Amino acid sequence: SLINNDLEVIKNIPLAERNFMKYFIIFTLLAFLVVMGYINVLRYIIAKDYWEGLSVVPIVMAGTIMMGVYFNLSFWYKLIDKTIWGAYFSGIGCAVLIAVNVLFVPRYGYMACAWAGFAGYATAMILSYIVGQRKYPIAYPLKSISVYVGITALFYINYANTHFSTPVALGVNTVFILLFIGHVWKWDWKKGKG
């Protein structure tokens, strides 16, 4: 019946949301690795005058990933018809963003602005997750997600702290990206297909 079908859909929502969140994070982390791994080539699509500002790219990208995670986490309060929580989280995140800008932009300029976005989105994301687990628990695969975040962090630290010539750096970074894709293939894609 229609009612039973609706109940089945609602029952499967947490599973779908959990899987969607995981693959969203995997995809965006892969995008992060590709952009940062090839930044020495990608920078040529903008004028040299802006190259100095490329140092904010990883911060802005990380902040944008957290914004996406926050957007995905917003599902729980929409489902229980308590969208006021979204206003709370966004308001607090916005307050953090403004505070960091006001306090640090005069001294640190656009770098502080990038960190302000990072801090604001991180705050909203963390609050939404904590409250969501109390109001509408979804068993996100935190262990698996943490592994991907850890791999990405390690690869990025290597990107940032090695000073190879551009061709060598591109080759090394390509290997790291392929290792990341291989991990996805072995532990998620292949298992999911099996």
Side-chain angles (χ1 to χ4, degrees), residues 20-192:
F20 184 80
M21 175 69 82
K22 179 178 179 178
Y23 288 107
F24 170 81
I25 291 172
I26 289 172
F27 178 79
T28 53
L29 290 177
L30 177 59
F32 176 89
L33 287 176
V34 169
V35 171
M36 297 315 304
Y38 299 121
I39 195 76
N40 287 342
V41 173
L42 294 174
R43 67 183 177 175
Y44 288 102
I45 66 175
I46 62 172
K48 282 190 176 182
D49 294 345
Y50 297 105
W51 286 10
E52 181 186 353
L54 290 175
S55 57
V56 303
V57 171
I59 305 165
V60 172
M61 286 194 74
T64 304
I65 291 170
M66 288 188 289
M67 179 183 68
V69 172
Y70 169 61
F71 179 81
N72 286 311
L73 288 170
S74 70
F75 179 81
W76 69 263
Y77 56 73
K78 294 173 184 174
L79 187 65
I80 64 173
D81 199 25
K82 296 288 184 182
T83 52
I84 188 65
W85 284 105
Y88 295 151
F89 303 142
S90 296
I92 294 168
C94 186
V96 169
L97 185 149
I98 292 169
V100 173
N101 273 316
V102 169
L103 292 172
F104 297 107
V105 165
R107 183 170 180 181
Y108 298 105
Y110 60 80
M111 185 62 75
C113 190
W115 281 111
F118 181 99
Y121 290 130
T123 300
M125 176 188 73
I126 291 166
L127 288 174
S128 184
Y129 175 77
I130 291 171
V131 177
Q133 289 303 298
R134 296 172 69 97
K135 301 285 186 181
Y136 190 86
I138 295 176
Y140 294 108
L142 295 182
K143 184 177 178 182
S144 178
I145 289 170
S146 297
V147 168
Y148 283 107
V149 172
I151 291 170
T152 303
L154 286 173
F155 288 174
Y156 173 68
I157 289 168
N158 182 76
Y159 289 175
N161 291 289
T162 53
H163 304 287
F164 298 121
S165 64
T166 296
V168 174
L170 292 175
V172 170
N173 295 345
T174 299
V175 170
F176 286 140
I177 291 165
L178 291 174
L179 286 171
F180 184 93
I181 293 170
H183 184 85
V184 175
W185 175 263
K186 180 175 181 180
W187 295 103
D188 285 289
W189 183 258
K190 200 172 177 184
K191 277 190 174 180

